[in-house]
Amino acid sequence: QVQLVESGGGLVQPGGSLTLSCLASGTSSSASSMGWYRQAPGNQRESVAIWGSGGVINYANPVKGRFTISRVNSKNTVYLQMNTLKPEDTATYYCRAQIRGSVYWGQGTQVTVSS
């Protein structure tokens, strides 16, 4: 049974940094893509950063230049380094992985940017 477990969320002041981690366990198959999404109250879930097939990386415009996605393929692990955080980055962040044609989601980790 595939499970995605996120960690690293928390409360941070504007301008601060956080690193999120996500591990996909319960499978020996490598994920074809892994990425991060977020959802703020009252908003739809949106893509933040995706490490796609062939190592193609895409960032949402609001996070370009501030967030960096990285991945350890052998461990089905993906990270999101978030710098220069802004109050509008406040949301629940979800990890998503596509493994052998199926899509899996983590339970989410809360990121709150506030002074």
Side-chain angles (χ1 to χ4, degrees), residues 2 6 9 14 16 19 22 24 32 34 39 46 48 59 61 68 72 75 82-83 97 101 108 113:
V2 177
E6 302 116 333
T19 300
C22 172
S32 57
M34 296 189 77
Q39 187 169 18
E46 61 180 8
V48 175
Y59 293 100
N61 285 335
T68 302
V72 180
K75 297 183 178 181
M82 304 184 293
N83 297 327
V113 184

Side-chain angles (χ1 to χ4, degrees), residues 93-112:
Y93 284 70
Y94 296 90
C95 178
R96 177 190 185 275
Q98 185 163 352
I99 302 173
R100 295 178 61 86
S102 296
V103 173
Y104 301 90
W105 290 92
Q107 80 286 355
T109 185
Q110 179 67 35
V111 172
T112 301

Side-chain angles (χ1 to χ4, degrees), residues 39-103:
Q39 187 169 18
N43 291 356
Q44 290 187 336
R45 191 172 297 188
E46 61 180 8
S47 170
V48 175
I50 306 297
W51 188 300
S53 299
V56 177
I57 297 174
N58 286 290
Y59 293 100
N61 285 335
V63 308
K64 284 182 179 177
R66 300 188 297 121
F67 291 11
T68 302
I69 188 171
S70 59
R71 181 175 169 182
V72 180
N73 290 339
S74 61
K75 297 183 178 181
N76 270 350
T77 302
V78 66
Y79 302 93
L80 186 66
Q81 174 67 42
M82 304 184 293
N83 297 327
T84 319
L85 282 160
K86 304 176 181 180
E88 51 263 42
D89 295 317
T90 295
T92 301
Y93 284 70
Y94 296 90
C95 178
R96 177 190 185 275
Q98 185 163 352
I99 302 173
R100 295 178 61 86
S102 296
V103 173

